[in-house]
């Protein structure tokens, strides 16, 4: 899939649409999801143009990859989710493609927590 420069996260990165920012560095931006599914629902995105986690894993530099994972840790710390900081944990999700129900075609992690997740979507019923 080629990268769509007009996807909503590309517009947020260009400053054309506002976001409720949590964390930013040279390679990463993190902000609150506009339609939170849990008490805490945060998105962590690379600034580079990657469509999904597969594309990111193949094409991103080591600095981009390590920055993204460090940003996830930082966001979990800021939101008091990290087990190592006395939090109660979280779920990290990368919806990918049609079967993964990915709506926005710019790679992003969802960090969700603040309440129990349950197993919906993770088990066949
Ligand atoms: P996906 O289904 O692609 O994994 O998730 C996309 C997420 O982006 C959804 O949870 C949706 O609520 C969120 N989202 C869509 N548009 C916007 C927006 O304009 N601002 C923010 N902050 N989140 C958005």
């Amino acid at each position: 899939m080629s990268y769509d420069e007009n996807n909503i996260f590309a517009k947020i990165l260009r400053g054309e649409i506002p976001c409720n920012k949590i964390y930013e560095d040279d390679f990463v931006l993190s902000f609150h999801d506009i339609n939170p599914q849990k008490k805490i629902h945060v998105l962590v995105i690379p600034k580079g143009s990657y469509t999904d986690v597969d594309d990111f894993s193949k094409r991103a530099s080591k600095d981009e990859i390590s920055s993204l994972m460090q940003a996830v840790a930082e966001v979990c710390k800021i939101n008091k989710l990290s087990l190592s900081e006395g939090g109660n944990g979280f779920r990290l999700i990368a919806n990918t493609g049609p079967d993964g129900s990915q709506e926005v075609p710019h790679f992003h992690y969802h960090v969700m927590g603040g309440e129990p997740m349950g197993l919906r979507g993770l088990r066949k019923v």
Side-chain angles (χ1 to χ4, degrees):
M1 182 179 31
S2 62
Y3 184 80
D4 172 11
E5 296 288 346
N6 284 320
N7 78 75
I8 202 88
F9 294 168
K11 290 180 180 176
I12 287 174
L13 285 167
R14 289 196 295 267
E16 294 165 13
I17 292 177
C19 70
N20 190 354
K21 184 161 75 176
I22 297 171
Y23 173 86
E24 181 172 16
D25 65 25
D26 287 349
F27 297 109
V28 182
L29 180 66
S30 176
F31 48 90
H32 291 280
D33 196 291
I34 204 167
N35 183 22
Q37 301 300 305
K38 292 291 172 187
K39 277 186 189 158
I40 297 172
H41 187 170
V42 170
L43 301 169
V44 184
I45 73 173
K47 289 187 173 176
S49 301
Y50 302 102
T51 56
D52 55 47
V53 65
D54 186 36
D55 184 32
F56 182 74
S57 304
K58 284 177 182 144
R59 295 197 300 111
S61 68
K62 287 189 168 53
D63 282 348
E64 289 176 295
I65 292 170
S66 63
S67 292
L68 191 76
M69 296 317 297
Q70 284 166 12
V72 168
E74 187 61 26
V75 160
C76 290
K77 184 177 172 184
I78 290 167
N79 287 283
K80 303 187 186 341
L81 300 174
S82 314
L83 296 176
S84 61
E85 304 278 339
N88 222 25
F90 56 92
R91 184 170 286 165
L92 182 65
I93 301 172
N95 295 327
T96 307
D99 281 2
S101 299
Q102 181 179 3
E103 287 174 15
V104 178
H106 179 111
F107 170 44
H108 51 283
Y109 277 133
H110 296 255
V111 177
M112 302 167 100
E115 59 183 310
M117 290 295 118
L119 292 173
R120 200 154 58 92
L122 295 179
R123 299 279 187 277
K124 279 194 172 176
V125 287

